[in-house]
Amino acid sequence: MLSRVADSLFWMNRYMERTDGILRMLKTNYALSQDDLQYFSWQPVLKIFTFLSDEEAATIACQGRTVLQYMVSDKENPNSVLNIVTQARENARSVQDHITKELWQCLNDFYHTVRDEQLLEWLYKEDPITALDVLIKQGLLFYGTADITMARGEGYSFMNIGRFLERAIQSANILDVKFSDSKFDFSNVTDTTYWRYLLLSISGYELYLRKYSGGFEARRVVEQIVLNDHFPRSVMYSIDQVSRYFERMKSEQTTSAYNSIDFMIGKVKSRVRYSTPETIMQQGLHEFLTGVKNDLYAIGTALSQHYFAYT
């Protein structure tokens, strides 16, 4: 497969995964803003998904509808849903011969939906939850279409490497930023609402209730988001999937490059696999997550250098 094709497929799915994460976070935080007006702040969302300084974020965070506008449709925000979906669509356009017609149509529909004036009217003046749900469902349709129409070849592997690499970074970022609110003092966070919305933001609330009894604990939340093999948005599950799809890339022509990146994936996989909530907290959650994120970014850089022909 040509390096430019692999690059486009990889980034198409990274952008779509980022879009899904932003939309879920916006929906959850808007709901929280209606429940907890006294202590709620939009700044964690802006910190995770934008490049704004603390002062710039504080200015925008004063108004929920302003944040929604900035994060969904602001053309000046490089990480707005509109701009990210546009980037994903452009990547898909450049490799139409390598994706199915159904997948292209699905992504094209998403692009036109996020530009729809009526939907934006709901978002800014009427019912933001309904508008966000429409966009979230467009993302789910994209993933479902890819799953049932794409051949299981190199292109599909690059798509999923991009998807799960982005997801692992997102989950680590969300956990890091949300716990920084309490200055990583786990005994200080006792508010049930805080835990509930943290887990809802990454679709982990129902699984937590089924797995654990006796209420919310910091140790258990860390365990689920970082270490749970069966939670599809955990850091561990996402890294496992990156490893799984990268294993399919091995060939005689790419032995040196493959071995180098395979070692990097194995290193971060072992770092997470052989950790426990206790060892993570002992090391320091922020330090642990920073190390994992740095390893994941390094994998992305290595893929760019060895497989996408970047210099």
Side-chain angles (χ1 to χ4, degrees):
M1 174 173 287
L2 293 175
S3 59
R4 68 166 184 81
V5 174
D7 180 44
S8 293
L9 294 171
F10 173 84
W11 278 103
M12 177 183 71
N13 265 39
R14 278 200 72 166
Y15 286 134
M16 291 304 293
E17 184 65 31
R18 192 175 305 171
T19 296
D20 184 70
I22 291 171
L23 290 170
R24 290 176 185 276
M25 182 67 79
L26 290 177
K27 177 183 175 182
T28 301
N29 278 266
Y30 181 78
L32 176 58
S33 72
Q34 306 305 298
D35 289 347
D36 189 10
L37 294 175
Q38 183 176 359
Y39 299 105
F40 175 79
S41 172
W42 283 100
Q43 283 187 276
V45 178
L46 297 170
K47 186 174 181 180
I48 294 167
F49 290 112
T50 72
F51 306 104
L52 297 173
S53 66
D54 290 342
E55 293 77 14
E56 291 171 325
T59 302
I60 295 176
C62 295
Q63 295 292 331
R65 299 295 176 119
T66 302
V67 174
L68 292 177
Q69 185 274 330
Y70 183 74
M71 291 303 304
V72 174
S73 64
D74 193 324
K75 294 181 180 179
E76 301 303 315
N77 173 15
N79 238 23
S80 70
V81 172
L82 173 61
N83 282 333
I84 296 173
V85 171
T86 300
Q87 292 277 10
R89 180 173 178 259
E90 289 306 308
N91 277 282
R93 182 197 297 277
S94 69
V95 292
Q96 281 194 59
D97 291 343
H98 297 269
I99 62 174
T100 60
K101 291 181 180 178
E102 293 90 345
L103 190 61
W104 163 251
Q105 184 63 53
C106 180
L107 188 47
N108 200 44
D109 287 346
F110 196 167
Y111 169 77
H112 289 293
T113 299
V114 78
R115 290 166 55 87
D116 185 90
E117 291 185 4
Q118 182 179 359
L119 186 79
L120 298 179
E121 184 78 10
W122 292 349
L123 188 66
Y124 307 140
K125 295 183 180 179
E126 297 180 17
D127 184 6
I129 296 294
T130 298
L132 292 170
D133 274 338
V134 168
L135 295 173
I136 289 170
K137 287 176 182 176
Q138 285 289 148
L140 294 175
L141 181 60
F142 171 85
Y143 283 127
T145 303
D147 185 57
I148 64 174
T149 66
M150 285 291 296
R152 268 45 176 179
E154 282 187 327
Y156 188 75
S157 294
F158 278 117
M159 287 169 61
N160 280 287
I161 291 169
R163 174 188 182 185
F164 287 107
L165 188 65
E166 180 70 27
R167 183 178 295 183
I169 293 169
Q170 268 190 38
S171 293
N173 264 334
I174 290 169
L175 189 62
D176 192 20
V177 170
K178 296 296 283 185
F179 269 95
S180 70
D181 292 345
S182 64
K183 303 186 186 302
F184 298 96
D185 183 352
F186 302 107
S187 61
N188 281 346
V189 189
T190 57
D191 185 2
T192 299
T193 302
Y194 179 91
W195 295 118
R196 178 169 179 262
Y197 281 99
L198 169 58
L199 291 165
L200 282 171
S201 67
I202 56 172
S203 304
Y205 181 66
E206 292 183 11
L207 177 62
Y208 185 94
L209 295 181
R210 287 196 295 269
K211 183 174 176 60
Y212 301 106
S213 58
F216 292 103
E217 294 181 14
R219 176 192 175 281
R220 292 174 172 178
V221 172
V222 170
E223 181 179 45
Q224 175 165 319
I225 297 176
V226 178
L227 304 173
N228 191 323
D229 294 285
H230 303 292
F231 177 41
R233 292 184 180 274
S234 76
V235 176
M236 187 71 258
Y237 179 89
S238 300
I239 293 172
D240 276 342
Q241 294 304 306
V242 171
S243 177
R244 172 192 173 195
Y245 285 104
F246 187 70
E247 285 176 2
R248 302 182 182 183
M249 308 307 301
K250 188 173 185 179
S251 69
E252 293 181 1
Q253 290 78 24
T254 59
T255 300
S256 177
Y258 175 88
N259 289 340
S260 175
I261 298 174
D262 186 52
F263 176 82
M264 297 171 71
I265 295 173
K267 178 183 174 184
V268 69
K269 188 175 178 179
S270 295
R271 178 201 287 264
V272 179
R273 172 72 65 192
Y274 298 111
S275 295
T276 66
E278 288 73 24
T279 60
I280 292 173
M281 292 180 181
Q282 192 173 41
Q283 175 185 343
L285 180 62
H286 176 67
E287 290 73 16
F288 175 83
L289 293 174
T290 298
V292 169
K293 286 188 288 182
N294 287 339
D295 287 346
L296 294 170
Y297 287 131
I299 292 168
T301 301
L303 284 166
S304 297
Q305 292 172 343
H306 295 294
Y307 284 85
F308 307 150
Y310 289 0
T311 57

